[in-house]
Amino acid sequence: MFVMYEKENMKVPVKVWLEKNEDLESTCREQALHLAQLPFLHKWVSLMPDTHAGMGMPIGGVIAAEGVIIPNAVGVDIGCGMAYTETNIPVEAIRGIQTGNGTLIQAIIGDIMRNIPVGFAHHKLAMPSYTMDRAFDEIDLYEEDKELLGQLEAGYFQVGTLGGGNHFIELQTDDEGMLAVMIHSGSRHFGKSVCDYFHNKARELNSKWFSQVPDEYRLAFLPVDTPEGCQYLRWMQLSMDFANENREKMMLAVKAVLEKYIGKYTDLKLEFSGDINCHHNYAALETHYGKEVWVHRKGAVRAGNGELAVIPGAMGSYSYVVMGKGNPESFCSSSHGAGRLYSRKGAMAAFSCEDVIRDLRDQGVVLGKKGKADVAEESRFAYKDIDAVMSAQQDLVIPVKRLKTVGVVKG
Ligand code: 5GP
Ligand code: MN
Ligand code: MN
């Protein structure tokens, strides 16, 4: 870890969980220095070892704000995160089995894709959603933000859908050879609408208040004791709950597919255990160094002492379940993944579609993806080496399980 505290206009230092200055990409550094100028931060800015540039604030960034919330420091995909479950099924016991639809693992991946809308797809019909039902039950809490009300209806069509790009559903094997499932998704279009709406609202208000935070930093803020700040917190919590339900619904669908295929093709009795469902884009009121602060984790997970979290690597690479050490220096946080090494565009230029597909095939990984033209964006070589990231945060988390991709559905 190294500390940046060089410029006079920095109000707080930046702690970076990387070895040295050169490891921090320039746009990311610039964004971290913007954060360090904010007048309402507690202690310091923390950057996790998977950090890279984001919108306004770096991904892999953690800040603790006093009485203030910043929509872009929560992120566009509010409540984006990971769901995880493990099974009692040895992967080798199912790998060799043939079905009418290829191997059993291919058939399972295919059926997951038929059961869960992926990419930009939503459901054609409204689905049950207890989160949206609750919002309608308490509609007076939301009515003020008329522009967002349509999103509540839309939520019924979005719950239980994966989304595009980096979102995924993976079948994995742990080091003991047991099958596990990992799902990465968030609050879909719903949360994005909430972020955009309140970011713009914050910009308008900040300009009215002659805010010291330049508009081009894209870090417009809302004090939590203003009506707009209160409303953002309500909508943010709703988006987080929706993201949680979204992952839960998909996990139920994946479990049903596994029940069906493992029941049909084997004599094994499938059991699930160890479920985790955690956010990596959110803010929460927590106490750190004796103060109640709004901890913003944008591409970071909570790693409180003894708490479990999920840190994915990349498709065809390792991912981890970790136990937090509760290190206060990172405000009890850790990385949320390996982090991008190449931008989407950069990855497309550096890696060919054929190479990425061959690499997965050589490793015996089943890839479920409708349009493969952009698969290079998600090449494992477009991400940092997860093991280097893990070794840079040994003071934050203990690895509990190491998992490797067996099959992956990509948006
Ligand atoms: P983000 O939430 O920032 O979009 O991505 C979270 C992390 O997920 C990335 O930093 C990357 O390490 C990881 N990741 C992206 N795609 C995949 C995938 O297909 N499989 C696994 N296991 N991890 C992935
Ligand atoms: Mn997301
Ligand atoms: Mn995410």
Side-chain angles (χ1 to χ4, degrees):
M1 196 245 277
F2 69 89
V3 181
M4 292 196 294
Y5 204 8
E6 58 222 35
K7 284 195 176 172
E8 325 161 354
N9 57 358
M10 283 172 78
K11 293 211 166 55
V12 293
V14 179
K15 297 196 177 194
V16 190
W17 268 258
L18 289 170
E19 223 167 272
K20 50 189 189 305
N21 246 289
E22 301 86 83
D23 298 340
L24 194 61
E25 145 226 351
S26 61
T27 317
C28 185
R29 170 197 308 276
E30 201 180 302
Q31 291 182 341
L33 296 178
H34 292 166
L35 284 170
Q37 293 167 29
L38 297 175
F40 39 71
L41 293 195
H42 185 43
K43 294 291 178 186
W44 46 74
V45 173
S46 292
L47 296 184
M48 303 297 99
D50 60 341
T51 195
H52 56 94
M55 172 92 83
M57 165 159 161
I59 315 285
V62 183
I63 54 172
E66 293 178 39
V68 159
I69 194 110
I70 303 176
N72 269 355
V74 168
V76 172
D77 189 358
I78 302 170
C80 191
M82 301 294 302
Y84 168 81
T85 193
E86 51 204 42
T87 76
N88 59 337
I89 304 295
V91 175
E92 284 317 312
I94 61 169
R95 211 193 267 280
I97 297 176
Q98 289 295 323
T99 75
N101 250 331
T103 66
L104 186 50
I105 290 172
Q106 283 169 333
I108 290 169
I109 291 287
D111 207 35
I112 291 174
M113 289 179 79
R114 276 190 299 279
N115 279 281
I116 297 178
V118 301
F120 294 109
H122 294 161
H123 294 289
K124 293 198 176 66
L125 299 172
M127 291 288 140
S129 165
Y130 58 80
T131 308
M132 289 306 145
D133 289 350
R134 198 194 69 210
F136 278 105
D137 284 348
E138 304 173 335
I139 194 70
D140 50 312
L141 298 179
Y142 303 100
E143 240 156 20
E144 200 155 307
D145 303 296
K146 294 202 171 38
E147 287 171 52
L148 287 177
L149 289 178
Q151 291 301 315
L152 296 177
E153 275 306 335
Y156 287 104
F157 294 83
Q158 295 172 20
V159 71
T161 68
L162 185 64
N166 45 348
H167 297 129
F168 64 85
I169 299 172
E170 269 193 11
L171 302 180
Q172 302 173 329
T173 171
D174 68 11
D175 284 336
E176 276 75 53
M178 302 309 257
L179 180 71
V181 181
M182 222 175 244
I183 299 179
H184 174 215
S185 187
S187 51
R188 309 291 289 107
H189 191 68
F190 183 81
K192 180 186 171 353
S193 310
V194 171
C195 177
D196 293 348
Y197 171 84
F198 281 100
H199 172 63
N200 286 327
K201 200 151 244 207
R203 285 182 64 195
E204 278 167 33
L205 289 171
N206 287 191
S207 112
K208 213 155 82 187
W209 300 330
F210 304 105
S211 156
Q212 306 288 303
V213 185
D215 187 49
E216 62 270 23
Y217 286 9
R218 303 208 229 179
L219 294 169
F221 65 91
L222 293 167
V224 295
D225 56 5
T226 59
E228 294 80 5
C230 286
Q231 284 307 101
Y232 173 73
L233 289 177
R234 283 200 175 120
W235 283 97
M236 177 190 77
Q237 190 59 55
L238 188 63
S239 306
M240 286 161 61
D241 295 348
F242 183 65
N244 224 74
E245 185 184 7
N246 182 35
R247 288 188 292 270
E248 190 181 278
K249 290 270 150 77
M250 284 188 280
M251 189 56 96
L252 281 173
V254 172
K255 285 180 176 179
V257 169
L258 289 174
E259 297 270 9
K260 185 166 100 187
Y261 280 85
I262 289 174
K264 184 167 172 192
Y265 289 96
T266 76
D267 296 329
L268 300 165
K269 167 109 189 47
L270 175 61
E271 278 164 22
F272 299 101
S273 59
D275 287 61
I276 302 174
N277 192 346
C278 63
H279 302 302
H280 55 225
N281 284 1
Y282 73 111
L285 191 61
E286 297 177 7
T287 301
H288 291 276
Y289 296 101
K291 223 178 217 156
E292 257 204 343
V293 281
W294 283 96
V295 178
H296 296 59
R297 297 191 175 89
K298 184 185 185 182
V301 288
R302 190 175 147 86
N305 192 16
E307 294 175 13
L308 295 176
V310 179
I311 303 183
M315 59 177 183
S317 164
Y318 291 105
S319 298
Y320 287 88
V321 171
V322 297
M323 185 180 279
K325 286 191 166 177
N327 189 333
E329 273 199 281
S330 66
F331 306 104
C332 295
S333 315
S334 79
S335 96
H336 82 311
R340 278 200 165 271
L341 197 56
Y342 287 79
S343 67
R344 296 180 173 284
K345 245 172 133 182
M348 289 281 272
F351 314 109
S352 78
C353 177
E354 293 72 30
D355 285 347
V356 174
I357 289 171
R358 187 174 322 112
D359 172 54
L360 292 174
R361 197 189 308 127
D362 288 350
Q363 295 191 67
V365 172
V366 176
L367 172 64
K369 183 163 162 55
K370 282 188 182 139
K372 298 213 171 50
D374 60 353
V375 72
E377 283 184 358
E378 293 297 319
S379 158
R380 65 191 169 107
F381 302 109
Y383 288 96
K384 293 187 196 176
D385 173 13
I386 185 68
D387 290 312
V389 169
M390 291 305 291
S391 78
Q393 55 184 353
Q394 291 176 47
D395 56 337
L396 307 181
V397 291
I398 306 163
V400 172
K401 241 173 210 288
R402 186 175 76 151
L403 300 128
K404 183 153 194 309
T405 319
V406 169
V408 55
V409 173
K410 273 288 197 179

